[in-house]
């Protein structure tokens, strides 16, 4: 059973579709495959969890769109939220 979802296989985060406890297996489907990782922290329902390691300063993608910049290194399985993501306005005038 899935407890998280991802929209675009290039996304850096999945969204918890039920509360996830630290140490729980997180299972989601991406690119036609079922993938699993271990939650390193409690994840509130509808919050984000990193599906890969994200370097400090790297853009973070959700639903195929950039949602911010990692303020610090974020490990696979960590909660991704305002405590470790800085907002970033894209230059839309190009």
């Amino acid at each position: 059973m899935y407890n998280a979802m991802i929209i675009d296989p290039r996304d850096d985060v999945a969204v918890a579709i039920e509360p996830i406890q630290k140490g729980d297996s997180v299972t989601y489907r991406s690119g036609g495959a079922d993938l699993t990782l271990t939650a390193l922290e409690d994840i509130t329902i509808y919050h984000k969890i990193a599906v890969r390691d994200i370097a400090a300063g790297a853009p973070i993608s959700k639903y195929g769109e950039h949602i911010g910049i990692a303020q610090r290194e974020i490990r696979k399985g960590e909660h991704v939220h305002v405590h470790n993501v800085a907002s970033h306005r894209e230059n839309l005038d190009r």
Side-chain angles (χ1 to χ4, degrees):
M1 177 188 288
Y2 304 119
N3 56 359
M5 62 174 257
I6 193 167
I7 299 298
D8 189 308
R10 298 170 296 176
D11 287 350
D12 300 300
V13 298
V15 176
I17 57 175
E18 62 184 44
I20 297 170
Q21 300 299 308
K22 178 180 178 177
D24 283 355
S25 290
V26 178
T27 303
Y28 59 97
R29 188 158 184 82
S30 178
D34 290 345
L35 302 172
T36 301
L37 61 92
T38 300
L40 300 180
E41 302 177 275
D42 293 343
I43 311 294
T44 304
I45 189 171
Y46 307 129
H47 280 223
K48 298 171 294 299
I49 186 168
V51 297
R52 62 180 56 90
D53 291 337
I54 304 168
I60 299 172
S61 293
K62 173 184 168 190
Y63 303 150
E65 300 291 332
H66 289 152
I67 60 166
I69 303 293
Q71 292 181 343
R72 61 167 178 80
E73 181 181 328
I74 303 171
R75 294 180 301 153
K76 179 179 178 177
E78 280 191 276
H79 185 205
V80 178
H81 200 54
V82 297
H83 67 287
N84 56 11
V85 178
S87 63
H88 175 73
R89 176 144 168 77
E90 300 282 335
N91 183 354
L92 303 176
D93 297 328
R94 291 188 211 175

